[in-house]
Amino acid sequence: MNGALFLALRRMRAPLLVLIASYAISILGLVLIPGRDGQGLPWQMGFFHAFYFVSYTATTIGFGEVPHAFTDTQRLWVTFTIYLTVVAWFYALGKIIALTQEPAFRQVLARARLQRKVRRMREPFYIVCGYGETGSALVAALDRRGIRCVVLDLNPERVAEADMAGLSVDTPALAADVRAGESLIVAGLRSPHCLGVVALTNDDRANLAVAVGTKLLRPELEVLCRCESRDVAANMASFGTDHIVNPYESFARHLGIAMRASGLYLLREWLTATPDELLPEPRFPPLGQWVLCGFGRFGREIAHCLDREGIHCTMIDADPAAVQGVASGILGSGTEAAVLEKAGIRGAAGLVAGTSSDVSNLAVVMTARELNPELFVILRRNQRSNAVLTDAVGAQMVMQPAAVVVHEAMALLTEPLLARFLAEVRQRDNDWANEVIARLVGILGEHAPETWTFAVEPRACPALHEAAGRGAVSVGDLGRDPRDRAELLPVVALAIERNGDLLLLPLDADRLRIGDRVLFCGRGRGRRKQQFLVHDANALRYVLTGEDVPGGWIWQRLASRRRARPAGA
């Protein structure tokens, strides 16, 4: 706020001087010009009365002549005073209005307002740099998890969108250059409640600057960056960036998994989906010839993926430099039937419409399906607002960069153990994944579950920590209803992290130890009851032993009296 006050005083220096001078001249004239009292005797106005009169006259209130009626000379001077002070006030008010509209002043006020909000925050929060397609989706997803965010974006319109996003809690936002370390500090980088920084702008260099600035100012904080360039990603890694997400590379990797083991792909999609989404239909990308329209960064990642799987791919691109030197490259946009036929679309098994234009991708798909209705189509959707159009095409797989990054970020930021679980799952075979899916569907139904982690530590789960120290708690015990231990909760234990090792799908009989971290998935009510179970010693005792001990002091006294009462009394 000191900056705003300093800027206001500097901008208002001339108007204030003019206003002070007009008041001084007006007051001095009234003091020096002689008047007459009610008896016609000479009377001289004092400075207090002169200041009082000029104050209400200059502001056009106009009480009257005090304390005595003025002489003609005094009235002549008052007439001059009125015009002088009113003009001075108009000049000052105009400057004030202009100051409030000045971008620099409004930026200083917004910065001060954000700092106040951040200082008052007592909950953990992430700093999200970039509020475009990806940033807005991630902030909304974190908000559904009850995790707060502070938003930085260079575009004031996007900052206004963050203010009107309808989130469950207030999300402080500021229009600022994320590459400046000062902006990160204003957003709460040095706050003890800051969990980490997420850089999701569409400029890889800006994301690199955020990563470097964060690691220099707070090296212990977690940093996640979106990056589409391999060179910039390598630079980020050299500065110790914790997570680097390339949406094109991630999608290509998942496509390769879907081609080799559709069950593994389906399991990953299900566990990283938004809770309560329906289980997606199994997708089986064919292994024949493919046609790829758009040979940019996304197209190159897909081409590398298909090449690793031993699939021949024909590339189409409107840029001569993109297809130059590519043996199977064809110059064209892909929307022309002749170009698609030249690429062998009639005999192709799959099509990738991967240009940077949603309209072009839709045209490519529609033209290609007229020539080959049996195509397996992968469609790139660049803008979330075009979801209605792209869904109407009926592509088997839709790649939206923002959705890919959000899924990856949610797994890495909110449930790091889930990210490690998914990495371990990639080493398993398809039959194993199908068995896991069948078990999850049998217990949880066909809607995507929530995932959460319990740490067997005194502060995180006091009741669970105390019981685990005695070796009294098994994985199966945490799946029992704290109201009726005979009932099972809709939850499944996915993994236990112990001493750096990860045990997948632990058995119900496996005992928990102090320091373990347990990854669960399940329905919302199962999570709520399980959270109550691991925090309440009486509920956990009931689940373990069947003994229902009263929880409060009053209930304990009543229960002890009931037990002490003689039989038949």
Side-chain angles (χ1 to χ4, degrees):
M1 197 62 187
N2 291 334
L5 180 61
F6 173 77
L7 183 60
L9 291 176
R10 187 171 61 181
R11 293 288 191 274
M12 293 298 297
R13 180 169 51 190
L16 287 175
L17 290 175
V18 170
L19 198 60
I20 292 171
S22 66
Y23 266 67
I25 294 172
S26 302
I27 292 170
L28 183 62
L30 287 174
V31 170
L32 296 178
I33 297 175
R36 293 188 178 276
D37 59 13
Q39 286 75 34
L41 299 175
W43 173 80
Q44 205 79 21
M45 183 179 290
F47 280 98
F48 173 75
H49 283 101
F51 176 74
Y52 173 66
F53 177 82
V54 171
S55 295
Y56 68 67
T57 302
T59 54
T60 67
I61 297 174
F63 280 134
E65 300 171 354
V66 293
H68 306 295
F70 289 167
T71 64
D72 290 343
T73 306
Q74 286 178 311
R75 288 172 180 169
L76 182 63
W77 179 256
V78 168
T79 303
F80 168 75
T81 296
I82 291 172
Y83 287 104
L84 176 65
T85 54
V86 168
V87 169
W89 268 114
F90 271 115
Y91 174 55
L93 290 175
K95 284 293 185 178
I96 291 174
I97 294 173
L99 176 65
T100 59
Q101 301 300 317
E102 188 174 335
F105 183 70
R106 299 179 69 175
Q107 176 70 8
V108 171
L109 288 179
R111 186 179 292 256
R113 192 183 309 116
L114 180 80
Q115 287 179 308
R116 288 196 304 270
K117 289 183 178 180
V118 171
R119 281 197 300 266
R120 294 170 184 167
M121 291 175 67
R122 294 296 179 263
E123 307 91 349
F125 65 90
Y126 283 100
I127 299 175
V128 178
C129 301
Y131 197 73
E133 289 273 337
T134 310
S136 58
L138 179 63
V139 170
L142 290 173
D143 179 72
R144 288 193 293 270
R145 285 292 190 93
I147 301 174
R148 300 193 65 179
C149 296
V150 177
V151 172
L152 293 177
D153 195 287
L154 191 60
N155 190 339
E157 295 181 359
R158 291 179 179 172
V159 172
E161 291 177 7
D163 292 333
M164 299 183 295
L167 302 174
S168 61
V169 293
D170 179 38
T171 301
L174 178 67
D177 188 354
V178 299
R179 295 171 295 183
E182 180 65 25
S183 300
L184 296 174
I185 294 175
V186 170
L189 184 68
R190 289 177 173 165
S191 169
H193 303 289
C194 182
L195 295 174
V197 179
V198 184
L200 300 176
T201 73
N202 55 5
D203 183 352
D204 287 351
R205 295 289 176 182
N207 295 337
L208 173 62
V210 171
V212 173
T214 303
K215 285 303 179 181
L216 288 175
L217 297 173
R218 290 284 302 275
E220 75 280 6
L221 282 185
E222 188 176 19
V223 179
L224 184 146
C225 290
R226 171 180 177 169
C227 184
E228 300 174 7
S229 169
R230 292 182 179 270
D231 294 337
V232 177
N235 204 349
M236 288 179 178
S238 67
F239 276 93
T241 305
D242 300 275
H243 311 292
I244 303 171
V245 180
N246 184 334
Y248 307 141
E249 183 180 349
S250 296
F251 183 84
R253 183 173 64 250
H254 301 155
L255 177 61
I257 295 174
M259 289 181 167
R260 294 190 305 272
S262 59
L264 292 175
Y265 173 82
L266 190 63
L267 178 62
R268 186 198 177 281
E269 288 292 296
W270 202 35
L271 291 178
T272 58
T274 302
D276 293 331
E277 283 186 12
L278 275 174
L279 181 68
E281 292 292 331
R283 299 177 176 90
F284 304 99
L287 301 178
Q289 178 188 356
W290 282 63
V291 175
L292 173 58
C293 294
F295 200 53
R297 291 177 177 175
F298 173 62
R300 284 182 169 81
E301 294 292 346
I302 296 296
H304 293 155
C305 168
L306 297 177
D307 184 64
R308 288 193 298 267
E309 301 302 323
I311 296 175
H312 179 265
C313 178
T314 302
M315 276 73 75
I316 301 175
D317 198 283
D319 184 5
V323 297
Q324 185 177 6
V326 180
S328 56
I330 297 176
L331 184 62
S333 64
T335 58
E336 312 94 336
V339 173
L340 290 173
E341 287 186 343
K342 184 178 179 181
I345 194 68
R346 293 187 184 274
L351 169 71
V352 179
T355 72
S356 58
S357 170
D358 287 344
V359 175
S360 297
N361 292 336
L362 292 172
V364 168
V365 174
M366 294 177 68
T367 305
R369 277 193 167 157
E370 290 179 359
L371 301 174
N372 185 351
E374 304 300 324
L375 279 171
F376 184 95
V377 175
I378 297 177
L379 176 67
R380 174 181 174 182
R381 180 171 65 210
N382 299 282
Q383 299 295 326
R384 190 169 49 198
S385 57
N386 293 326
V388 176
L389 298 177
T390 54
D391 291 344
V393 171
Q396 282 78 7
M397 297 179 72
V398 176
M399 185 276 180
Q400 183 179 344
V404 174
V405 175
V406 169
H407 280 203
E408 294 274 349
M410 288 297 292
L412 293 168
L413 298 177
T414 62
E415 297 296 341
L417 197 54
L418 175 61
R420 187 176 176 188
F421 171 81
L422 295 174
E424 293 286 340
V425 162
R426 288 202 296 266
Q427 311 302 322
R428 301 302 179 101
D429 57 31
N430 200 51
D431 293 337
W432 181 88
N434 289 331
E435 291 178 3
V436 175
I437 293 174
R439 180 184 175 189
L440 295 179
V441 171
I443 297 176
L444 308 177
E446 295 188 354
H447 288 81
E450 297 182 41
T451 57
W452 62 92
T453 301
F454 286 130
V456 187
E457 298 174 353
R459 294 186 62 183
C461 304
L464 180 61
H465 174 268
E466 192 273 333
R470 305 192 310 268
V473 186
S474 66
V475 173
D477 293 330
L478 297 185
R480 297 185 180 277
D481 194 323
R483 296 183 181 273
D484 183 358
R485 64 191 301 264
E487 294 291 330
L488 297 180
L489 297 175
V491 298
V492 177
L494 296 177
I496 295 178
E497 185 183 56
R498 178 179 296 162
N499 299 326
D501 298 326
L502 196 66
L503 172 64
L504 302 185
L505 299 179
L507 302 176
D508 288 344
D510 289 339
R511 295 284 174 176
L512 296 179
R513 303 176 187 174
I514 293 177
D516 286 354
R517 298 176 70 237
V518 191
L519 175 65
F520 277 93
C521 71
R523 301 262 71 84
R525 67 181 183 87
R527 177 180 186 173
R528 291 189 293 271
K529 290 186 175 182
Q530 199 177 60
Q531 286 178 332
F532 172 70
L533 179 64
V534 301
H535 286 84
D536 189 274
N538 293 326
L540 186 58
R541 185 184 298 112
Y542 164 71
V543 165
L544 296 177
T545 65
E547 180 183 358
D548 191 3
V549 179
W553 178 83
I554 296 177
W555 295 111
Q556 289 178 1
R557 293 295 299 270
L558 292 175
S560 62
R561 289 183 179 181
R562 189 180 298 113
R563 288 193 297 268
R565 185 180 303 166

